[in-house]
Amino acid sequence: MKVQRRTVLGGMASLLGAPFALSLYPAGAADKIRIGFLLKTMQEERYQRDKAAFLARAKAMGAEVIFDSANNDEQSQLAAFENMLSQGARVIVLQPVNTGTAGSMVTSAHKSNVKVVGYDSMLVNGPLDAMVMQDSWAVGRLQAEAMVAWLKGRYGSIKGNVVLIRGQPGDSNANTMSSGVLEVLKANPDLKLVADQSHEGWSPDKAMATSENLLTKFGNKIDAVICNNSGMARGVVAALDAQGLANADKVFVAGSDADLVNIQFVAQGKQAAEIWKKITPLAESAVETAVTLAQNPDKDPRALLKFDRLINNGAVDVPTIVTPVVLVDKTNLDSTIIAEGFYTRQQVYGK
């Protein structure tokens, strides 16, 4: 995907990556606007937060939401998408199961004069109207930079065997996150990428099986494992635990999504790092984008939205709003996750 950077103007809206300042959206301003919100899955814990934040912001703006998820099944998602069109959604916010084929759904929506906003994962080769996503470029880079610091602290130099655990094969978001890891590896030639494996359905069980096989193959001589999400990181930790290696002083493991169990692993010293993707700015920006497009159906989204980047997805230049991500480890857990109320101290530490 080709990216063009664009300066974002306008107070808090700029800081949050939102299309407009919140004060421009009083409750009731979007009366009778019906928008669809279609997630690829509810498998990961974080998606309960995405759904709750999206519904709350839509309610505050007076918009009605048709919600569904697809259990990581492409055909189920297509059926749900068509159902949203039949129910009169004016804009659909879509997190695609298959980023490579979802463009056909956008084309279908456009035939019904319905716009589509991408959510979290950029679909390719389709005429997407707008995109709201977390800074996926930064995810892998932050994970890998933390790994480099960990290896240097352990060995006094940057060397070791590294495993990259990716999500769905061909998924654009998995590829974008992984690209940050690969860039850091390229800059550190003494790091050896011993495995780069994708996993259908972002499956924790499959990630665990991959890790078990690699530990056997390399005689447990794996120094670091970087995962595209929290669920797969849990699978990795489970495999390490069986070998007495689930210890952040022995093997570096990083995940992404900040599921509670993973944050507990960080606190307990089983996992080195997690990427905290701030869900509320993402979900709220998606609602605000959808409502803006629904209220202005005949206008070019690029003229309506304050966006961070233009990203060419193979079909069009998509105006893209980017929301922040934060690396969390044992040193800053209290000042990030807990201080900002994502989890309580009791939830994380049990006390």
Side-chain angles (χ1 to χ4, degrees):
M1 292 182 292
K2 184 178 179 182
V3 180
Q4 302 175 37
R5 294 186 180 274
R6 173 181 171 126
T7 302
V8 184
L9 306 175
M12 285 302 294
S14 302
L15 295 175
L16 295 176
F20 288 102
L22 301 188
S23 61
L24 296 181
Y25 290 111
D31 284 343
K32 298 183 180 178
I33 286 178
R34 178 175 289 184
I35 56 178
F37 186 34
L38 181 50
L39 292 174
K40 65 182 179 182
T41 183
M42 295 297 285
Q43 174 178 281
E44 279 72 48
E45 174 188 304
R46 61 155 283 194
Y47 290 121
Q48 295 292 343
R49 292 179 180 269
D50 290 77
K51 178 183 177 182
F54 192 99
L55 294 177
R57 185 67 188 126
K59 182 178 180 181
M61 296 177 68
E64 179 184 349
V65 177
I66 309 164
F67 174 81
D68 210 339
S69 64
N71 196 31
N72 280 319
D73 183 87
E74 189 175 349
Q75 292 304 311
S76 295
Q77 186 163 68
L78 176 59
F81 189 89
E82 291 175 344
N83 185 49
M84 289 179 178
L85 292 176
S86 69
Q87 289 189 60
R90 291 165 60 181
V91 176
I92 296 177
V93 178
L94 172 67
Q95 182 195 39
V97 170
N98 188 328
T99 57
T101 61
S104 61
M105 288 191 281
V106 182
T107 301
S108 174
H110 283 182
K111 290 177 181 177
S112 300
N113 296 317
V114 173
K115 287 186 168 63
V116 179
V117 176
Y119 187 83
D120 196 40
S121 299
M122 172 77 79
L123 63 86
V124 296
N125 298 322
L128 197 62
D129 296 287
M131 181 74 202
V132 179
M133 65 186 296
Q134 288 147 336
D135 195 346
S136 296
W137 297 271
V139 170
R141 176 176 51 79
L142 289 171
Q143 290 173 315
E145 287 173 350
M147 174 193 67
V148 165
W150 183 91
L151 289 167
K152 193 171 183 179
R154 183 179 183 188
Y155 296 120
S157 61
I158 305 168
K159 62 180 182 179
N161 290 338
V162 180
V163 174
L164 176 56
I165 300 290
R166 300 193 191 216
Q168 182 76 17
D171 183 89
S172 64
N173 206 30
N175 290 340
T176 301
M177 289 187 285
S178 299
S179 69
V181 179
L182 298 176
E183 287 174 6
V184 174
L185 289 172
K186 185 177 180 180
N188 294 276
D190 288 336
L191 294 176
K192 185 178 180 182
L193 184 63
V194 297
D196 180 352
Q197 181 68 46
S198 297
H199 297 82
E200 290 280 351
W202 303 72
S203 169
D205 290 341
K206 291 178 181 177
M208 181 172 69
T210 294
S211 302
E212 290 169 342
N213 292 337
L214 289 170
L215 289 168
T216 299
K217 179 179 179 179
F218 292 99
N220 285 351
K221 292 182 179 179
I222 300 294
D223 297 291
V225 187
I226 296 180
C227 308
N228 284 166
N229 78 354
S230 293
M232 293 187 300
R234 291 196 296 277
V236 171
V237 170
L240 291 170
D241 198 30
Q243 300 297 318
L245 295 173
N247 185 319
D249 292 330
K250 296 180 179 180
V251 180
F252 176 94
V253 178
S256 176
D257 279 339
D259 284 358
L260 177 58
V261 171
N262 298 77
I263 294 300
Q264 290 170 337
F265 283 169
V266 171
Q268 294 161 8
K270 290 185 175 182
Q271 185 177 322
E274 266 286 313
I275 299 296
W276 175 30
K277 299 176 178 179
K278 297 190 176 186
I279 302 300
T280 299
L282 178 75
E284 291 187 346
S285 292
V287 174
E288 292 155 10
T289 299
V291 170
T292 298
L293 297 184
Q295 290 174 328
N296 300 275
D298 299 324
K299 293 186 178 179
D300 184 343
R302 288 177 292 184
L304 291 169
L305 306 175
K306 292 182 178 177
F307 55 91
D308 299 284
R309 304 176 185 180
L310 277 175
I311 300 177
N312 188 287
N313 72 344
V316 294
D317 290 330
V318 184
T320 303
I321 296 161
V322 180
T323 61
V325 298
V326 178
L327 180 89
V328 176
D329 60 21
K330 212 167 184 178
T331 67
N332 71 346
L333 195 160
D334 287 7
S335 63
T336 55
I337 291 284
I338 293 175
E340 296 192 37
F342 196 73
Y343 297 123
T344 66
R345 175 171 290 275
Q346 174 69 29
Q347 286 176 302
V348 173
Y349 295 103
K351 58 184 179 180

Coordinates of all heavy atoms in Angstrom, one line a residue, residues 11 122 143 162 167 190 200 217 233 269 280 296 324 339:
G11 N -6.9 21.2 16.7 CA -7.1 20.9 18.1 C -7.2 19.5 18.5 O -6.4 18.7 18.0
M122 N -7.2 -2.6 6.5 CA -7.4 -2.0 5.2 C -7.7 -3.1 4.1 O -6.8 -4.0 3.9 CB -6.2 -1.2 4.7 CG -6.2 -0.7 3.3 SD -7.3 0.7 3.1 CE -6.3 2.1 3.7
Q143 N 7.3 -3.3 18.8 CA 7.6 -4.6 19.3 C 9.1 -5.0 19.1 O 9.8 -5.4 20.0 CB 6.7 -5.6 18.7 CG 5.2 -5.6 19.0 CD 4.4 -6.5 18.2 OE1 4.6 -6.6 17.0 NE2 3.5 -7.3 18.8
V162 N 14.9 -15.3 16.1 CA 13.6 -14.6 16.3 C 12.6 -15.3 15.5 O 12.8 -15.8 14.3 CB 13.8 -13.1 15.7 CG1 12.5 -12.3 15.9 CG2 14.9 -12.4 16.5
G167 N -0.9 -13.2 11.8 CA -2.3 -13.5 11.8 C -2.7 -14.2 10.4 O -1.9 -14.9 9.8
D190 N 22.7 -9.3 12.7 CA 23.0 -10.5 13.6 C 21.7 -11.2 14.2 O 21.9 -12.2 14.9 CB 23.9 -10.0 14.8 CG 25.3 -9.7 14.3 OD1 25.7 -10.2 13.2 OD2 26.0 -8.9 14.9
E200 N -4.2 -19.1 10.1 CA -5.6 -19.0 9.8 C -6.4 -18.6 11.0 O -6.3 -19.1 12.1 CB -6.2 -20.3 9.2 CG -5.6 -20.7 7.9 CD -6.3 -19.9 6.7 OE1 -7.3 -19.3 7.0 OE2 -5.8 -20.1 5.6
K217 N 12.3 -28.1 17.1 CA 13.3 -28.0 15.9 C 14.6 -27.4 16.4 O 15.7 -27.8 15.9 CB 12.6 -27.2 14.8 CG 13.5 -27.1 13.6 CD 12.8 -26.3 12.5 CE 13.7 -26.1 11.3 NZ 13.0 -25.4 10.2
A233 N -0.1 -14.6 21.1 CA 0.9 -14.5 22.1 C 0.6 -15.4 23.3 O 1.5 -16.0 23.8 CB 1.1 -13.0 22.6
G269 N 5.6 -11.2 34.6 CA 7.0 -11.5 34.1 C 7.0 -12.7 33.1 O 8.0 -13.2 32.8
T280 N -11.0 3.3 22.2 CA -12.1 4.4 22.1 C -11.8 5.4 21.0 O -12.8 5.7 20.3 CB -12.2 5.1 23.5 OG1 -12.5 4.1 24.5 CG2 -13.2 6.2 23.5
N296 N -23.6 13.7 4.3 CA -23.1 14.4 3.0 C -22.9 13.3 1.9 O -21.8 13.1 1.5 CB -21.8 15.1 3.3 CG -22.0 16.2 4.4 OD1 -22.4 17.3 4.2 ND2 -21.7 15.8 5.6
P324 N -3.6 6.2 17.9 CA -2.3 5.9 18.5 C -2.2 4.5 19.1 O -3.2 3.9 19.5 CB -2.1 6.9 19.6 CG -3.5 7.3 20.0 CD -4.3 7.2 18.7
A339 N -3.2 3.7 34.8 CA -3.5 5.2 35.0 C -4.6 5.7 34.1 O -5.3 6.6 34.5 CB -2.2 5.9 34.8

